[in-house]
Amino acid sequence: MTSGFRSSFRRLWARQLPYRAIKALPSVLGVLALPLVLVLMLRIGWFFLGIVLLVIILSLLITSFFPRPIGQHALESFLSSLLMWMILWFVLMALISLFMTMDWKPRATRFTVRYLHGPSSETVEAFIPDLILANADPITAVIRLNRTNTTVLYPITITFSLPAGLQTEAPDPQELTAALSDESPVLFLPLRGRVITEGLWSIQTLVLRLQNTSGAVREDRISVQLEGSWMATLRQALEGWRWGESMISMGIALVSAVGGLALQYVRERAERELRLQEHVNRAHNEFQRSFEERNFLAARNWLEQLKSPEWKDLISAAVLERMEHLIQAVEGRLSDQQLEDLLRDTARIWPKAAAVVFLHVAPLVSPQRRQVFRQLLWEDQLPPELQDEIARLNQQPLAPQPRRWPPADVLPRRRPRSRHLPESLSRQLNGVDPFPALRAEEEQDRLLDPARPAFWPHPLYERLIRSESPALVIGPPGSGRTAMALAIAQSLHLDIRRDLILYRPGEVERAEDLPEEFSRLILRFLLDHPTWLTTLDPKERSFIACFLKTAMHPEVVEAKVASTLSRLDNAQWLNEAQNKEQKDFWRQQARYGSTQFLREIQNTKAMELRAGTWPEAVTLCARILGFQQVRLVLDLESIPAAEQTIGTLKPMLISLLQAKLQWIMFLPQPWGEEIMLADQEELFWTREQLGEMIHHRYRMIIGEHRSLTEIMDEDGLDQMIKHALEDRREGAPSRLGRLWERVLETIPQDKVQITLEDVEKALNAPGS
């Protein structure tokens, strides 16, 4: 507490006291100079000069001490002025009291010696007071005979003729006669003053007549100052409250100076508040102008100035809150419900601001919300240009962000294993091998190329993508199970239906893994399509945020959305815009939608996910995002992995069926026990199907106008297909690829077309 007081005192001394002391210097000098001017007027007699100086100093005091009424009503102004003049009167009385204590009253106790010479060279010493107070106690003058310079010893008669303003206690107060001799050389003469003149003082003449026994007379005149009616009245009025002689008067003068400083501080504070109020009004007007001109950055700067500690008390808190909400609305930091409340309140008070907010957010929200927001505007009070802009809002809508799903990196990949082609065939095939690889992961890019997919749609594939029931697909290694699972997961059937598909190439150990992986897939879709968030209803957006926050770690979800929002200007999908206007529109949509979604994530509470509830939540999220079906594709390479996965899925099979979440499980061999409501399908190949598959691959990889007969005759191809179908323990596509590798190893480098003899030679080679 002590340190805080010291720091506050240091700031006060460093910032305020020197400045105020310098500005108060005229007031202090005026207070201290006023007694000096009165002394000049009364003692020296410079009356006219004193009057001029007195007027100047009083004017200085009035202008320095008293604040001008600022922003007051008539009664307040009258009371303030009355108080000012009462203080001024007190200050003047205090100064006069100080003058009387220090100068006027002491003069009445000081005596001036006058030497009077008698007719016979006698000397009479007259001790006359400098000032005689009116209507006060008598002051005794002393007359003394001095015979030092003469040897004549006889009495002298002295006669006093008093003016009208003086009187004695003798029977005749105006004239007194007494004798001075060696026996009584001293005469005491009590003098009492009377008020006979107006003003501050008057000069009275006292006549002294000396006469000796021989009749010789000597007359002399003495001037005496006598109080006037003004000074006598002031002195008598101040006698009642004066205490402590000069100390109390000096204290009153000091208090007057301090009072002058306080009044000056009040005046400066009032003037400062007036200047601040002018600045606040200007900043408020600039905010309105900037906001109506849609210069939101300048409006934000003016708002920050208004929120400063120095200004915020001069403007209503409700006004500041409304201004802050307007800026947050155009920055996309308000929810739809808050935005609706803001438009409803602002439209009544500031219709143009409500229209500006609507025009800014209307392209970013769904058409339903846009219609609700527009109904809140008071369009009849808007200028014609704003009305026309609102009317044109829906006439030429910009194209939305295209749907790009699934992304290429959502599926696992394996590094391809290259085959060595003979030099002649390599030139003919442009170095590309058209035959199947031993594993589908090695040629995933070829199989799933959106423009020219090398994957051939097997009849089983056609049944699976049209079915909504769970299925078990049985096929030996190399039969194309993984290729079919990848094709389903990559949604090559977009012309049939849009599905949200989770591809899982391994066993499922925990039931919690599936909702977490589905949530990552949904979050990835939202981050790749942030503009779609603006089209969602607030309840739908809140539900998705709640599910993601529950299935994943809340901090992870929030961090990913915030990271996408910070890197929005460099997003790759913005390059798909046809022009700058569309690009800016998409960026604005994405920023608004991501900001709203981030707020939903921060404000919503996590739900409780159980084995029976998460499938329905996933399905609902997918339907909100426009997916028609949710699929779980499990690609298992071994029976232990299948046993672990089926054991994990069994408790939630009913929930998966109720939520219409289809699962497809690919197994390397038939499953011993029956799984409820799951159709078991076998992946096998016929001669015709295998031939169509290899011809399809050749056209998609080498060129649609090309034919496989360019490098192989029909008999040789038929022999390879026949050999690939002989062993049911290995899939036909894999055996066909192995046979092709043997053929490449046995043919010469300059071979241009492979014949039946080349195929049989490869089949009969050692080790085959």
Side-chain angles (χ1 to χ4, degrees):
M1 179 176 180
T2 305
S3 61
F5 174 79
R6 289 176 179 173
S7 61
S8 301
F9 180 79
R10 291 194 192 100
R11 289 195 300 269
L12 180 64
W13 173 258
R15 298 180 182 178
Q16 295 186 4
L17 283 184
Y19 169 75
R20 301 196 183 284
I22 292 174
K23 292 202 67 175
L25 188 59
S27 304
V28 178
L29 294 178
V31 171
L32 299 179
L34 190 58
L36 300 178
V37 174
L38 293 177
V39 169
L40 291 175
M41 292 168 58
L42 299 179
R43 294 200 63 177
I44 304 177
W46 294 353
F47 182 76
F48 294 103
L49 178 60
I51 290 295
V52 173
L53 293 177
L54 182 63
V55 171
I56 294 175
I57 292 177
L58 288 179
S59 301
L60 181 64
L61 290 175
I62 293 173
T63 56
S64 300
F65 281 178
F66 305 128
R68 297 184 297 275
I70 297 176
Q72 296 176 332
H73 299 296
L75 179 60
E76 295 176 349
S77 178
F78 169 75
L79 294 177
S80 177
S81 301
L82 181 61
L83 178 62
M84 294 176 194
W85 288 108
M86 289 177 62
I87 295 175
L88 177 61
W89 178 254
F90 170 79
V91 171
L92 291 176
M93 292 298 102
L95 294 176
I96 294 174
S97 174
L98 176 65
F99 165 74
M100 288 186 172
T101 302
M102 299 181 64
D103 185 78
W104 194 260
K105 292 284 291 182
R107 289 178 60 192
T109 60
R110 291 197 302 267
F111 291 82
T112 301
V113 181
R114 308 293 178 87
Y115 296 95
L116 306 177
H117 301 282
S120 301
S121 300
E122 303 90 347
T123 301
V124 177
E125 298 176 351
F127 296 88
I128 305 299
D130 293 344
L131 175 67
I132 298 177
L133 302 180
N135 300 329
D137 295 336
I139 299 176
T140 302
V142 179
I143 309 298
R144 186 175 62 183
L145 178 63
N146 187 355
R147 293 183 181 273
T148 305
N149 299 327
T150 182
T151 56
V152 181
L153 300 176
Y154 49 82
I156 296 177
T157 303
I158 183 170
T159 303
F160 296 90
S161 296
L162 301 179
L166 294 176
Q167 62 182 10
T168 64
E169 296 179 353
D172 185 0
Q174 299 302 123
E175 187 168 328
L176 175 65
T177 302
L180 294 177
S181 62
D182 292 337
E183 290 77 10
S184 57
V186 179
L187 173 65
F188 296 95
L189 180 64
L191 299 176
R192 184 189 301 273
R194 293 188 305 169
V195 177
I196 60 172
T197 59
E198 300 291 337
L200 300 178
W201 71 86
S202 62
I203 303 298
Q204 301 291 323
T205 302
L206 177 63
V207 179
L208 277 77
R209 186 180 298 107
L210 301 177
Q211 183 177 4
N212 56 17
T213 55
S214 62
V217 177
R218 179 73 179 267
E219 186 176 286
D220 203 348
R221 297 177 180 270
I222 300 175
S223 297
V224 179
Q225 283 188 343
L226 177 64
E227 265 189 339
S229 60
W230 293 0
M231 291 298 294
T233 304
L234 285 176
R235 179 181 52 76
Q236 293 174 2
L238 294 174
E239 284 288 338
W241 60 274
R242 181 176 54 82
W243 177 81
E245 297 298 335
S246 61
M247 294 301 297
I248 190 64
S249 300
M250 293 177 63
I252 292 175
L254 180 61
V255 170
S256 302
V258 174
L261 291 176
L263 290 175
Q264 180 172 335
Y265 171 76
V266 172
R267 185 196 69 178
E268 291 179 1
R269 183 173 180 180
E271 292 178 348
R272 179 174 174 273
E273 290 181 357
L274 178 61
R275 290 193 301 269
L276 288 178
Q277 189 64 52
E278 293 175 353
H279 291 319
V280 168
N281 295 338
R282 176 176 174 271
H284 186 264
N285 295 334
E286 289 295 330
F287 173 85
Q288 291 181 334
R289 182 184 61 81
S290 301
F291 194 85
E292 291 177 357
E293 293 176 356
R294 308 184 196 184
N295 186 358
F296 302 125
L297 180 60
R300 163 60 75 181
N301 293 334
W302 286 114
L303 177 59
E304 293 302 325
Q305 293 187 33
L306 290 172
K307 291 166 60 179
S308 63
E310 189 178 19
W311 289 11
K312 69 177 182 179
D313 294 335
L314 301 176
I315 189 170
S316 171
V319 175
L320 279 178
E321 183 180 7
R322 185 180 298 109
M323 295 166 68
E324 179 66 30
H325 287 168
L326 287 173
I327 295 297
Q328 291 179 354
V330 297
E331 292 175 349
R333 296 192 290 144
L334 293 184
S335 64
D336 288 351
Q337 184 59 46
Q338 292 174 329
L339 193 58
E340 183 177 344
D341 296 338
L342 177 65
L343 289 176
R344 181 182 294 107
D345 296 339
T346 308
R348 297 182 291 103
I349 304 171
W350 189 6
K352 292 182 67 175
V356 168
V357 172
F358 171 76
L359 290 172
H360 186 80
V361 303
L364 312 178
V365 298
S366 62
Q368 296 80 9
R369 299 297 299 174
R370 187 183 310 163
Q371 186 63 26
V372 172
F373 291 163
R374 183 172 180 177
Q375 293 175 357
L376 300 175
L377 301 179
W378 292 22
E379 296 189 34
D380 55 338
Q381 297 186 9
L382 297 177
E385 57 272 13
L386 285 180
Q387 296 182 10
D388 296 340
E389 189 174 355
I390 293 174
R392 293 193 308 266
L393 190 61
N394 293 326
Q395 292 180 1
Q396 296 179 348
L398 295 173
Q401 177 190 356
R403 187 187 189 106
R404 295 289 184 265
W405 189 259
D409 59 347
V410 76
L411 299 178
R413 278 174 167 76
R414 183 175 296 181
R415 186 175 182 179
R417 185 172 62 90
S418 61
R419 287 172 177 160
H420 177 69
L421 295 174
E423 185 177 349
S424 58
L425 284 179
S426 179
R427 286 195 305 267
Q428 196 170 357
L429 298 176
N430 297 323
V432 180
D433 187 358
F435 275 77
L438 298 182
R439 298 185 63 89
E441 296 92 330
E442 298 178 0
E443 55 173 0
Q444 183 174 333
D445 292 337
R446 292 182 187 176
L447 291 173
L448 307 179
D449 187 351
R452 298 166 62 181
F455 174 78
W456 179 71
H458 193 280
L460 178 59
Y461 171 80
E462 298 288 346
R463 291 198 303 271
L464 290 176
I465 61 177
R466 284 177 169 81
S467 174
E468 297 183 359
S469 302
L472 289 176
V473 179
I474 311 300
S479 60
R481 290 181 292 109
T482 299
M484 188 176 295
L486 290 173
I488 295 175
Q490 193 65 17
S491 300
L492 292 181
H493 55 285
L494 290 179
D495 55 334
I496 300 176
R497 185 173 56 244
R498 295 185 181 275
D499 296 341
L500 178 66
I501 303 173
L502 173 62
Y503 174 74
R504 183 66 185 264
E507 60 181 313
V508 179
E509 298 181 357
R510 301 184 309 158
E512 296 82 4
D513 294 342
L514 293 178
E516 181 177 355
E517 293 190 22
F518 268 113
S519 65
R520 293 182 184 277
L521 203 61
I522 293 173
L523 180 60
R524 174 64 185 274
F525 178 84
L526 292 174
L527 298 182
D528 288 348
H529 303 79
T531 61
W532 290 39
L533 289 167
T534 61
T535 63
L536 300 181
D537 186 86
K539 294 182 179 179
E540 298 174 342
R541 195 166 54 229
S542 177
F543 179 81
I544 295 177
C546 181
F547 170 71
L548 295 179
K549 194 172 182 179
T550 304
M552 299 175 60
H553 202 280
E555 285 76 9
V556 174
V557 181
E558 185 174 344
K560 286 183 175 292
V561 177
S563 177
T564 301
L565 188 59
S566 64
R567 294 182 285 106
L568 193 58
D569 292 335
N570 300 322
Q572 294 295 328
W573 54 266
L574 287 175
N575 298 327
E576 301 178 13
Q578 299 178 359
N579 50 51
K580 185 178 182 301
E581 181 183 7
Q582 190 178 55
K583 187 175 183 178
D584 294 340
F585 174 67
W586 285 358
R587 185 186 294 108
Q588 190 179 12
Q589 270 192 323
R591 180 170 287 109
Y592 179 82
S594 300
T595 304
Q596 297 290 331
F597 189 57
L598 183 60
R599 182 176 294 104
E600 295 288 352
I601 293 173
Q602 295 170 344
N603 296 335
T604 57
K605 295 182 179 179
M607 65 175 68
E608 182 181 358
L609 282 183
R610 298 187 301 272
T613 59
W614 73 260
E616 185 177 355
V618 170
T619 303
L620 182 56
C621 291
R623 296 286 173 80
I624 291 174
L625 298 178
F627 293 101
Q628 299 169 304
Q629 181 75 30
V630 182
R631 296 176 185 265
L632 173 62
V633 179
L634 302 170
D635 186 12
L636 307 175
E637 296 184 355
S638 63
I639 293 301
E643 292 177 351
Q644 175 67 39
T645 301
I646 292 176
T648 304
L649 290 180
K650 272 188 176 181
M652 61 183 75
L653 288 178
I654 299 297
S655 301
L656 295 175
L657 293 173
Q658 290 177 346
K660 296 183 179 181
L661 193 154
Q662 182 196 19
W663 55 271
I664 304 175
M665 187 181 300
F666 291 86
L667 300 176
Q669 63 185 45
W671 187 250
E673 57 181 294
E674 181 180 357
I675 299 180
M676 180 178 58
L677 299 180
D679 301 329
Q680 291 199 21
E681 300 281 356
E682 183 179 359
L683 178 57
F684 64 90
W685 293 84
T686 65
R687 186 173 182 175
E688 291 77 12
Q689 292 171 352
L690 199 58
E692 290 183 14
M693 184 269 291
I694 191 60
H695 280 287
H696 172 81
R697 286 179 59 92
Y698 193 87
R699 289 193 303 270
M700 293 295 104
I701 296 174
I702 305 303
E704 295 184 3
H705 61 285
R706 307 283 292 273
S707 174
L708 184 60
T709 57
E710 296 174 350
I711 63 170
M712 180 177 291
D713 59 15
E714 291 291 344
D715 295 336
L717 180 60
D718 290 342
Q719 183 63 21
M720 291 182 62
I721 293 175
K722 179 181 177 181
H723 182 75
L725 294 173
E726 288 179 354
D727 191 356
R728 300 296 297 271
R729 293 173 301 178
E730 183 179 6
S734 177
R735 284 180 59 82
L736 185 63
R738 292 181 186 275
L739 181 57
W740 172 249
E741 290 182 356
R742 294 191 204 134
V743 172
L744 295 178
E745 294 174 357
T746 57
I747 62 175
Q749 293 294 321
D750 58 350
K751 191 71 173 179
V752 176
Q753 188 179 36
I754 300 173
T755 62
L756 178 60
E757 290 78 10
D758 297 326
V759 175
E760 290 180 349
K761 181 180 178 181
L763 293 175
N764 297 326
S768 62

